[in-house]
Structure formats: C-alpha cells, structure tokens
Amino acid sequence: MVNGELMKKVAKKDIQKLLSQWQKDFTVFVPSRETGVAEMVVWDGQDTGFLDWYRNTVVPPKNNFLLNMEKMFGFGKDDGSYKLELPAPEESKQLIFGIRPCDAKAMAIIDMVFRDAYEDTYYLNRRKNTLLIGMGCVNPYDSCFCTSLGFGPMEGGDVDLMLTDIGDAFLIEEVSDQGKELLARTEGVEEATQEDEARGGEARDTANNKVTRKIDTGEIEKRLPLSFDNKEFWEKVAAKCVSCGICTFLCPTCYCFDINDEMVRGDGARFRNWDSCSFSLYTQMPMENPREEKWRRVRQKVHHKYNFYPMLFDIIACTGCGRCIRLCPVNWDITQTLSSMPAEATVGTESRNGD
Ligand code: SF4
Ligand code: SF4
C-alpha cells in the first residue's frame, strides 16, 4: 500500500500486451541474449521469454546512456574550408523494462558525474528521454551484496515504476510522476488486493534473505585510507589480476572513456569509447606513467569506488551488483579485498606521488 492506496498489478500472461502498448510511444528495451551475452536490446514486439531466464544482464544498462562507442561528431575539409557535422539531438523516447534495482541505483550514481559535475549532452539527452521500469530480483546471484550498500534486491527508489514478482502477476509500485502518468494510460492493469500486497512483502523478505554475501562499509571506510600506502597488501590482492578490464567495462558505475579521432581522405569523425583504469596505458603521459604497475591500478579501482567517490559525492560508487566477481576470468573478488584490509596503517612503504 502506498499513501493509503493499494498498488496496481498486471498478470504475467499480459506482459506482451503491456509492452505492445508502450511500444507505440517508446523504443522499448528488454533483456535479451540474442547477441550472445545478456543485455538490454530493442524489443522485437513478441518475445517475453526473458521472464523465464532473466537474473541480470551481463552488459549493464549504462550502455543505453553512455554507449560503449559513439560518434560524437564528424569533421573534415570541403573545398578548402573546414566543416563540422554535429549529431541531431536524440528526441526518441526510450523505456527500459526490467532494470534491476542495483543498475537503476548505478544510473543515479553516474548522474552525479554526467549531470551534476558537468553536463554531458550525449548522456543527458538519453537519460531525460528514458523511463526505467524496475523489476525486483527474486533470484539474486551468490556474488550479489547490494544489501550491504543501503538498499536491497526488491527496492525501487531509482526507477519510474517498480515491479515485484508475486507468482502469476507483478505488483506495480508507482515511484515517479512520469511512471504514474504512464500507468494511468495503460490498459490491462488492475488494482492489487491486500493478499497480493502481502505476497509482495513475503517476496521482498525472501529475496533480501537470499543476499548472503556481506561487507561492512563502516569498517571499510575506516580501513581504506589506512591501506593506501600498504604496497605489500595491494601487490598481494593484485597478484592474479590479468588487467583485462572486464570488471570495469561491465561495472554499472564505471564511466571512464577515451576519445579518438579518425580520418580518411579528408573526412573525419570523433569517437568516444569506454576506457578502463585496469589498462596500463590508461594513465600514460609523455613523461611518465604513474600507474604502470598493476597493484597501483587495482588500488585505484578500489579506492575510486569506496574512498574517492564518497569524498566527492558522498556515496559509494558500487552497488554490490557482483558483476566484477561473476565475470572476472581469474576470480578476483572485490568483497574479499575490502574485507581483508589491514586495520593498521603501514608507515612509509609507498608515497602518494602520482595518484
Ligand atoms: S576482471 Fe579480473 S582480471 Fe580482469 S582487470 Fe578485473 S580484476 Fe583484473
Ligand atoms: S564494483 Fe563490482 S559489485 Fe560494485 S558496482 Fe561495480 S561491478 Fe558491481
């Protein structure tokens, strides 16, 4: 019940009809494995089979806003004068169906960089034209630890509508005004009963209890600054990392990018693509590379999320989605690193120069 009113619900067998209605006004994205990895792709207007297999996507939905590669603009020379081709602002409305609470939280975290710290028009055009329809996780992975980060697998604070699986139907919580407005013009949605809401409460408790991996963020906040100069500790935790960059590319809160120009016979384009602090060339400068050694890069990744980002924006830049644990080829585990940090500072082993 929200504000004394019962929630809404939609039968699972009617999800296709629901999406078809929304497809008239939006480009609808749903979880799909058609590219070989699970990611949010444009709905084909038919398939709702993802309801049977979907736990979370491999590629996080940040890719729908900060594209893994995009052309920023074209440039070149035309009859002796220079030309610049700016892309038309994207006006099409998107709807992402089934985003998990951790990935919606990640978008709120990235907003602090691309909307608040500076305005990135490429990102913001998509963000402001997109509705997020959240879906709680009834089956979290054992690598998930979202409940340690102040929310849970069924919480919908960062979406427009939030769906909770109650068996043969989804309860629908109206979170934002835009979500409420969308639901008001959607057919096939009924009022939930008190029994439905009770089933929703049970589903939330069950899902929360399934997230058994925990970290102690209070203890981490105290220990992380003490760990910075502990070269021995970081060398040990970085030993098996092969610097592939997967943990950062597929992290929903990592947002680093690189910019490159390409030119063929007078016609050029500027591209932006994801980059990763796991790569040794990430910090290459003409005179030096402050993070040539792997342990410095692993330290940077952990400190950025749990120390530097909170200093800047007062929030940890990790949602506990567990992707970096599930998808690392050598089983590097951020929760093990965070939980094994020494409680005492090690004095004088490493200077902060360059970091
Ligand atoms: S995914 Fe694993 S091996 Fe690859 S950079 Fe991250 S920690 Fe290192
Ligand atoms: S650091 Fe790992 S657990 Fe945290 S948000 Fe990134 S991928 Fe998810």
Side-chain angles (χ1 to χ4, degrees), residues 70-76 82-91 121-122 125-126 261 267-271:
E70 78 175 303
K71 181 177 168 181
M72 302 178 82
F73 54 82
F75 60 85
Y82 290 99
K83 60 177 181 178
L84 191 63
E85 293 159 1
L86 293 169
E90 281 186 46
E91 301 292 352
T121 51
Y122 300 91
N125 272 340
R126 297 186 187 105
D261 290 347
D267 273 322
R270 175 159 296 180
F271 292 95

PDB file of all heavy atoms in Angstrom, residues 70-76 82-91 121-122 125-126 261 267-271:
ATOM      1  N   GLU A  70      30.539   5.671 -29.397  1.00  0.00           N
ATOM      2  CA  GLU A  70      29.618   6.509 -30.163  1.00  0.00           C
ATOM      3  C   GLU A  70      30.377   7.591 -30.924  1.00  0.00           C
ATOM      4  O   GLU A  70      31.438   8.057 -30.488  1.00  0.00           O
ATOM      5  CB  GLU A  70      28.542   7.126 -29.275  1.00  0.00           C
ATOM      6  CG  GLU A  70      28.914   8.298 -28.453  1.00  0.00           C
ATOM      7  CD  GLU A  70      27.680   8.859 -27.735  1.00  0.00           C
ATOM      8  OE1 GLU A  70      26.700   9.211 -28.403  1.00  0.00           O
ATOM      9  OE2 GLU A  70      27.710   8.927 -26.499  1.00  0.00           O
ATOM     10  N   LYS A  71      29.800   7.955 -32.065  1.00  0.00           N
ATOM     11  CA  LYS A  71      30.376   9.045 -32.855  1.00  0.00           C
ATOM     12  C   LYS A  71      29.883  10.354 -32.247  1.00  0.00           C
ATOM     13  O   LYS A  71      28.671  10.568 -32.122  1.00  0.00           O
ATOM     14  CB  LYS A  71      29.898   8.917 -34.302  1.00  0.00           C
ATOM     15  CG  LYS A  71      30.457   9.970 -35.220  1.00  0.00           C
ATOM     16  CD  LYS A  71      29.974   9.688 -36.640  1.00  0.00           C
ATOM     17  CE  LYS A  71      30.253  10.868 -37.540  1.00  0.00           C
ATOM     18  NZ  LYS A  71      29.773  10.641 -38.901  1.00  0.00           N
ATOM     19  N   MET A  72      30.818  11.207 -31.853  1.00  0.00           N
ATOM     20  CA  MET A  72      30.419  12.468 -31.232  1.00  0.00           C
ATOM     21  C   MET A  72      30.097  13.521 -32.284  1.00  0.00           C
ATOM     22  O   MET A  72      29.137  14.261 -32.166  1.00  0.00           O
ATOM     23  CB  MET A  72      31.524  12.966 -30.299  1.00  0.00           C
ATOM     24  CG  MET A  72      31.863  11.965 -29.203  1.00  0.00           C
ATOM     25  SD  MET A  72      33.191  12.509 -28.144  1.00  0.00           S
ATOM     26  CE  MET A  72      32.291  13.584 -27.026  1.00  0.00           C
ATOM     27  N   PHE A  73      30.933  13.558 -33.313  1.00  0.00           N
ATOM     28  CA  PHE A  73      30.653  14.461 -34.439  1.00  0.00           C
ATOM     29  C   PHE A  73      31.583  14.125 -35.592  1.00  0.00           C
ATOM     30  O   PHE A  73      32.583  13.413 -35.413  1.00  0.00           O
ATOM     31  CB  PHE A  73      30.803  15.946 -34.049  1.00  0.00           C
ATOM     32  CG  PHE A  73      32.126  16.308 -33.440  1.00  0.00           C
ATOM     33  CD1 PHE A  73      33.235  16.571 -34.224  1.00  0.00           C
ATOM     34  CD2 PHE A  73      32.249  16.394 -32.057  1.00  0.00           C
ATOM     35  CE1 PHE A  73      34.453  16.902 -33.663  1.00  0.00           C
ATOM     36  CE2 PHE A  73      33.467  16.724 -31.484  1.00  0.00           C
ATOM     37  CZ  PHE A  73      34.573  16.986 -32.278  1.00  0.00           C
ATOM     38  N   GLY A  74      31.232  14.617 -36.749  1.00  0.00           N
ATOM     39  CA  GLY A  74      32.093  14.433 -37.911  1.00  0.00           C
ATOM     40  C   GLY A  74      32.779  15.755 -38.245  1.00  0.00           C
ATOM     41  O   GLY A  74      32.299  16.828 -37.888  1.00  0.00           O
ATOM     42  N   PHE A  75      33.901  15.666 -38.936  1.00  0.00           N
ATOM     43  CA  PHE A  75      34.599  16.895 -39.345  1.00  0.00           C
ATOM     44  C   PHE A  75      35.366  16.621 -40.633  1.00  0.00           C
ATOM     45  O   PHE A  75      35.524  15.459 -41.040  1.00  0.00           O
ATOM     46  CB  PHE A  75      35.543  17.384 -38.236  1.00  0.00           C
ATOM     47  CG  PHE A  75      36.608  16.381 -37.861  1.00  0.00           C
ATOM     48  CD1 PHE A  75      37.802  16.294 -38.569  1.00  0.00           C
ATOM     49  CD2 PHE A  75      36.399  15.511 -36.787  1.00  0.00           C
ATOM     50  CE1 PHE A  75      38.767  15.378 -38.223  1.00  0.00           C
ATOM     51  CE2 PHE A  75      37.370  14.578 -36.432  1.00  0.00           C
ATOM     52  CZ  PHE A  75      38.554  14.505 -37.157  1.00  0.00           C
ATOM     53  N   GLY A  76      35.808  17.686 -41.255  1.00  0.00           N
ATOM     54  CA  GLY A  76      36.608  17.475 -42.457  1.00  0.00           C
ATOM     55  C   GLY A  76      36.818  18.771 -43.207  1.00  0.00           C
ATOM     56  O   GLY A  76      36.509  19.867 -42.696  1.00  0.00           O
ATOM     57  N   TYR A  82      36.759  24.322 -43.589  1.00  0.00           N
ATOM     58  CA  TYR A  82      36.525  23.250 -42.627  1.00  0.00           C
ATOM     59  C   TYR A  82      35.029  23.055 -42.395  1.00  0.00           C
ATOM     60  O   TYR A  82      34.254  24.009 -42.426  1.00  0.00           O
ATOM     61  CB  TYR A  82      37.221  23.577 -41.303  1.00  0.00           C
ATOM     62  CG  TYR A  82      38.721  23.507 -41.417  1.00  0.00           C
ATOM     63  CD1 TYR A  82      39.477  24.671 -41.584  1.00  0.00           C
ATOM     64  CD2 TYR A  82      39.382  22.287 -41.395  1.00  0.00           C
ATOM     65  CE1 TYR A  82      40.865  24.609 -41.720  1.00  0.00           C
ATOM     66  CE2 TYR A  82      40.757  22.211 -41.530  1.00  0.00           C
ATOM     67  CZ  TYR A  82      41.491  23.382 -41.692  1.00  0.00           C
ATOM     68  OH  TYR A  82      42.843  23.312 -41.837  1.00  0.00           O
ATOM     69  N   LYS A  83      34.621  21.817 -42.163  1.00  0.00           N
ATOM     70  CA  LYS A  83      33.197  21.552 -41.870  1.00  0.00           C
ATOM     71  C   LYS A  83      33.095  20.733 -40.579  1.00  0.00           C
ATOM     72  O   LYS A  83      33.997  19.944 -40.260  1.00  0.00           O
ATOM     73  CB  LYS A  83      32.521  20.816 -43.016  1.00  0.00           C
ATOM     74  CG  LYS A  83      33.136  19.477 -43.318  1.00  0.00           C
ATOM     75  CD  LYS A  83      32.395  18.744 -44.418  1.00  0.00           C
ATOM     76  CE  LYS A  83      33.076  17.399 -44.634  1.00  0.00           C
ATOM     77  NZ  LYS A  83      32.509  16.542 -45.595  1.00  0.00           N
ATOM     78  N   LEU A  84      32.005  20.919 -39.910  1.00  0.00           N
ATOM     79  CA  LEU A  84      31.748  20.199 -38.657  1.00  0.00           C
ATOM     80  C   LEU A  84      30.318  19.676 -38.704  1.00  0.00           C
ATOM     81  O   LEU A  84      29.391  20.441 -38.989  1.00  0.00           O
ATOM     82  CB  LEU A  84      31.895  21.168 -37.486  1.00  0.00           C
ATOM     83  CG  LEU A  84      31.917  20.594 -36.083  1.00  0.00           C
ATOM     84  CD1 LEU A  84      33.119  19.680 -35.874  1.00  0.00           C
ATOM     85  CD2 LEU A  84      31.955  21.726 -35.054  1.00  0.00           C
ATOM     86  N   GLU A  85      30.134  18.373 -38.491  1.00  0.00           N
ATOM     87  CA  GLU A  85      28.773  17.805 -38.533  1.00  0.00           C
ATOM     88  C   GLU A  85      28.393  17.328 -37.137  1.00  0.00           C
ATOM     89  O   GLU A  85      28.884  16.294 -36.673  1.00  0.00           O
ATOM     90  CB  GLU A  85      28.719  16.602 -39.479  1.00  0.00           C
ATOM     91  CG  GLU A  85      28.919  16.956 -40.923  1.00  0.00           C
ATOM     92  CD  GLU A  85      29.379  15.745 -41.735  1.00  0.00           C
ATOM     93  OE1 GLU A  85      29.520  14.639 -41.170  1.00  0.00           O
ATOM     94  OE2 GLU A  85      29.616  15.936 -42.927  1.00  0.00           O
ATOM     95  N   LEU A  86      27.523  18.096 -36.505  1.00  0.00           N
ATOM     96  CA  LEU A  86      27.086  17.704 -35.161  1.00  0.00           C
ATOM     97  C   LEU A  86      25.884  16.779 -35.270  1.00  0.00           C
ATOM     98  O   LEU A  86      25.023  16.980 -36.134  1.00  0.00           O
ATOM     99  CB  LEU A  86      26.704  18.942 -34.350  1.00  0.00           C
ATOM    100  CG  LEU A  86      27.865  19.872 -34.004  1.00  0.00           C
ATOM    101  CD1 LEU A  86      27.349  21.182 -33.439  1.00  0.00           C
ATOM    102  CD2 LEU A  86      28.814  19.200 -33.025  1.00  0.00           C
ATOM    103  N   PRO A  87      25.783  15.763 -34.419  1.00  0.00           N
ATOM    104  CA  PRO A  87      24.618  14.879 -34.494  1.00  0.00           C
ATOM    105  C   PRO A  87      23.362  15.610 -34.031  1.00  0.00           C
ATOM    106  O   PRO A  87      23.437  16.498 -33.170  1.00  0.00           O
ATOM    107  CB  PRO A  87      24.971  13.741 -33.521  1.00  0.00           C
ATOM    108  CG  PRO A  87      25.972  14.336 -32.586  1.00  0.00           C
ATOM    109  CD  PRO A  87      26.696  15.413 -33.334  1.00  0.00           C
ATOM    110  N   ALA A  88      22.218  15.257 -34.628  1.00  0.00           N
ATOM    111  CA  ALA A  88      20.952  15.845 -34.169  1.00  0.00           C
ATOM    112  C   ALA A  88      20.671  15.311 -32.766  1.00  0.00           C
ATOM    113  O   ALA A  88      20.936  14.137 -32.497  1.00  0.00           O
ATOM    114  CB  ALA A  88      19.833  15.432 -35.114  1.00  0.00           C
ATOM    115  N   PRO A  89      20.178  16.175 -31.861  1.00  0.00           N
ATOM    116  CA  PRO A  89      19.871  15.681 -30.513  1.00  0.00           C
ATOM    117  C   PRO A  89      18.856  14.543 -30.579  1.00  0.00           C
ATOM    118  O   PRO A  89      17.904  14.611 -31.360  1.00  0.00           O
ATOM    119  CB  PRO A  89      19.277  16.894 -29.793  1.00  0.00           C
ATOM    120  CG  PRO A  89      19.338  18.027 -30.735  1.00  0.00           C
ATOM    121  CD  PRO A  89      19.823  17.560 -32.069  1.00  0.00           C
ATOM    122  N   GLU A  90      19.087  13.505 -29.799  1.00  0.00           N
ATOM    123  CA  GLU A  90      18.162  12.363 -29.831  1.00  0.00           C
ATOM    124  C   GLU A  90      16.879  12.730 -29.111  1.00  0.00           C
ATOM    125  O   GLU A  90      16.894  13.083 -27.935  1.00  0.00           O
ATOM    126  CB  GLU A  90      18.803  11.160 -29.127  1.00  0.00           C
ATOM    127  CG  GLU A  90      19.795  10.451 -30.012  1.00  0.00           C
ATOM    128  CD  GLU A  90      20.300   9.185 -29.359  1.00  0.00           C
ATOM    129  OE1 GLU A  90      19.473   8.417 -28.836  1.00  0.00           O
ATOM    130  OE2 GLU A  90      21.515   8.989 -29.376  1.00  0.00           O
ATOM    131  N   GLU A  91      15.773  12.677 -29.847  1.00  0.00           N
ATOM    132  CA  GLU A  91      14.491  13.046 -29.238  1.00  0.00           C
ATOM    133  C   GLU A  91      13.652  11.811 -28.939  1.00  0.00           C
ATOM    134  O   GLU A  91      12.644  11.906 -28.257  1.00  0.00           O
ATOM    135  CB  GLU A  91      13.688  13.959 -30.193  1.00  0.00           C
ATOM    136  CG  GLU A  91      14.384  15.258 -30.581  1.00  0.00           C
ATOM    137  CD  GLU A  91      14.526  16.221 -29.416  1.00  0.00           C
ATOM    138  OE1 GLU A  91      13.953  15.952 -28.347  1.00  0.00           O
ATOM    139  OE2 GLU A  91      15.227  17.230 -29.592  1.00  0.00           O
ATOM    140  N   THR A 121      25.892  16.292 -22.832  1.00  0.00           N
ATOM    141  CA  THR A 121      24.644  16.325 -23.592  1.00  0.00           C
ATOM    142  C   THR A 121      24.304  14.963 -24.206  1.00  0.00           C
ATOM    143  O   THR A 121      23.133  14.610 -24.321  1.00  0.00           O
ATOM    144  CB  THR A 121      24.702  17.373 -24.718  1.00  0.00           C
ATOM    145  OG1 THR A 121      25.881  17.156 -25.462  1.00  0.00           O
ATOM    146  CG2 THR A 121      24.707  18.781 -24.162  1.00  0.00           C
ATOM    147  N   TYR A 122      25.317  14.216 -24.608  1.00  0.00           N
ATOM    148  CA  TYR A 122      25.061  12.898 -25.218  1.00  0.00           C
ATOM    149  C   TYR A 122      24.334  12.009 -24.208  1.00  0.00           C
ATOM    150  O   TYR A 122      23.338  11.363 -24.521  1.00  0.00           O
ATOM    151  CB  TYR A 122      26.371  12.234 -25.645  1.00  0.00           C
ATOM    152  CG  TYR A 122      27.147  13.050 -26.659  1.00  0.00           C
ATOM    153  CD1 TYR A 122      28.101  13.977 -26.254  1.00  0.00           C
ATOM    154  CD2 TYR A 122      26.908  12.891 -28.017  1.00  0.00           C
ATOM    155  CE1 TYR A 122      28.807  14.722 -27.187  1.00  0.00           C
ATOM    156  CE2 TYR A 122      27.607  13.626 -28.954  1.00  0.00           C
ATOM    157  CZ  TYR A 122      28.553  14.544 -28.530  1.00  0.00           C
ATOM    158  OH  TYR A 122      29.249  15.290 -29.455  1.00  0.00           O
ATOM    159  N   ASN A 125      20.723  13.632 -22.981  1.00  0.00           N
ATOM    160  CA  ASN A 125      19.617  13.513 -23.934  1.00  0.00           C
ATOM    161  C   ASN A 125      18.925  12.168 -23.793  1.00  0.00           C
ATOM    162  O   ASN A 125      17.698  12.075 -23.832  1.00  0.00           O
ATOM    163  CB  ASN A 125      20.131  13.641 -25.370  1.00  0.00           C
ATOM    164  CG  ASN A 125      20.156  15.086 -25.811  1.00  0.00           C
ATOM    165  OD1 ASN A 125      19.475  15.912 -25.227  1.00  0.00           O
ATOM    166  ND2 ASN A 125      20.948  15.382 -26.815  1.00  0.00           N
ATOM    167  N   ARG A 126      19.731  11.123 -23.635  1.00  0.00           N
ATOM    168  CA  ARG A 126      19.130   9.784 -23.494  1.00  0.00           C
ATOM    169  C   ARG A 126      18.497   9.630 -22.119  1.00  0.00           C
ATOM    170  O   ARG A 126      17.412   9.076 -21.981  1.00  0.00           O
ATOM    171  CB  ARG A 126      20.195   8.707 -23.689  1.00  0.00           C
ATOM    172  CG  ARG A 126      20.780   8.729 -25.066  1.00  0.00           C
ATOM    173  CD  ARG A 126      21.738   7.577 -25.308  1.00  0.00           C
ATOM    174  NE  ARG A 126      22.370   7.782 -26.594  1.00  0.00           N
ATOM    175  CZ  ARG A 126      23.625   8.188 -26.765  1.00  0.00           C
ATOM    176  NH1 ARG A 126      24.421   8.364 -25.740  1.00  0.00           N
ATOM    177  NH2 ARG A 126      24.097   8.407 -27.969  1.00  0.00           N
ATOM    178  N   ASP A 261      40.145  10.468 -32.670  1.00  0.00           N
ATOM    179  CA  ASP A 261      39.749  10.987 -33.986  1.00  0.00           C
ATOM    180  C   ASP A 261      40.202  10.025 -35.057  1.00  0.00           C
ATOM    181  O   ASP A 261      41.305   9.481 -34.984  1.00  0.00           O
ATOM    182  CB  ASP A 261      40.416  12.348 -34.248  1.00  0.00           C
ATOM    183  CG  ASP A 261      39.838  13.436 -33.352  1.00  0.00           C
ATOM    184  OD1 ASP A 261      38.778  13.202 -32.734  1.00  0.00           O
ATOM    185  OD2 ASP A 261      40.446  14.517 -33.263  1.00  0.00           O
ATOM    186  N   ASP A 267      37.812  13.199 -44.601  1.00  0.00           N
ATOM    187  CA  ASP A 267      36.606  13.062 -43.770  1.00  0.00           C
ATOM    188  C   ASP A 267      36.972  12.420 -42.446  1.00  0.00           C
ATOM    189  O   ASP A 267      37.568  11.339 -42.417  1.00  0.00           O
ATOM    190  CB  ASP A 267      35.569  12.187 -44.472  1.00  0.00           C
ATOM    191  CG  ASP A 267      34.697  13.009 -45.387  1.00  0.00           C
ATOM    192  OD1 ASP A 267      34.364  14.152 -45.004  1.00  0.00           O
ATOM    193  OD2 ASP A 267      34.377  12.523 -46.481  1.00  0.00           O
ATOM    194  N   GLY A 268      36.592  13.082 -41.380  1.00  0.00           N
ATOM    195  CA  GLY A 268      36.972  12.564 -40.069  1.00  0.00           C
ATOM    196  C   GLY A 268      35.793  12.437 -39.142  1.00  0.00           C
ATOM    197  O   GLY A 268      34.691  12.927 -39.416  1.00  0.00           O
ATOM    198  N   ALA A 269      36.011  11.765 -38.053  1.00  0.00           N
ATOM    199  CA  ALA A 269      34.974  11.635 -37.018  1.00  0.00           C
ATOM    200  C   ALA A 269      35.651  11.513 -35.667  1.00  0.00           C
ATOM    201  O   ALA A 269      36.754  10.971 -35.565  1.00  0.00           O
ATOM    202  CB  ALA A 269      34.102  10.412 -37.286  1.00  0.00           C
ATOM    203  N   ARG A 270      34.998  12.057 -34.676  1.00  0.00           N
ATOM    204  CA  ARG A 270      35.489  11.906 -33.300  1.00  0.00           C
ATOM    205  C   ARG A 270      34.611  10.868 -32.599  1.00  0.00           C
ATOM    206  O   ARG A 270      33.381  10.981 -32.603  1.00  0.00           O
ATOM    207  CB  ARG A 270      35.440  13.247 -32.565  1.00  0.00           C
ATOM    208  CG  ARG A 270      35.826  13.126 -31.108  1.00  0.00           C
ATOM    209  CD  ARG A 270      36.255  14.448 -30.520  1.00  0.00           C
ATOM    210  NE  ARG A 270      37.476  14.930 -31.176  1.00  0.00           N
ATOM    211  CZ  ARG A 270      38.093  16.066 -30.873  1.00  0.00           C
ATOM    212  NH1 ARG A 270      37.612  16.839 -29.913  1.00  0.00           N
ATOM    213  NH2 ARG A 270      39.185  16.434 -31.515  1.00  0.00           N
ATOM    214  N   PHE A 271      35.262   9.881 -32.024  1.00  0.00           N
ATOM    215  CA  PHE A 271      34.548   8.800 -31.336  1.00  0.00           C
ATOM    216  C   PHE A 271      34.867   8.819 -29.848  1.00  0.00           C
ATOM    217  O   PHE A 271      35.980   9.161 -29.448  1.00  0.00           O
ATOM    218  CB  PHE A 271      34.969   7.433 -31.891  1.00  0.00           C
ATOM    219  CG  PHE A 271      34.521   7.209 -33.311  1.00  0.00           C
ATOM    220  CD1 PHE A 271      35.374   7.473 -34.373  1.00  0.00           C
ATOM    221  CD2 PHE A 271      33.237   6.740 -33.566  1.00  0.00           C
ATOM    222  CE1 PHE A 271      34.954   7.282 -35.672  1.00  0.00           C
ATOM    223  CE2 PHE A 271      32.819   6.534 -34.881  1.00  0.00           C
ATOM    224  CZ  PHE A 271      33.682   6.808 -35.935  1.00  0.00           C
TER     225      PHE A 271
END
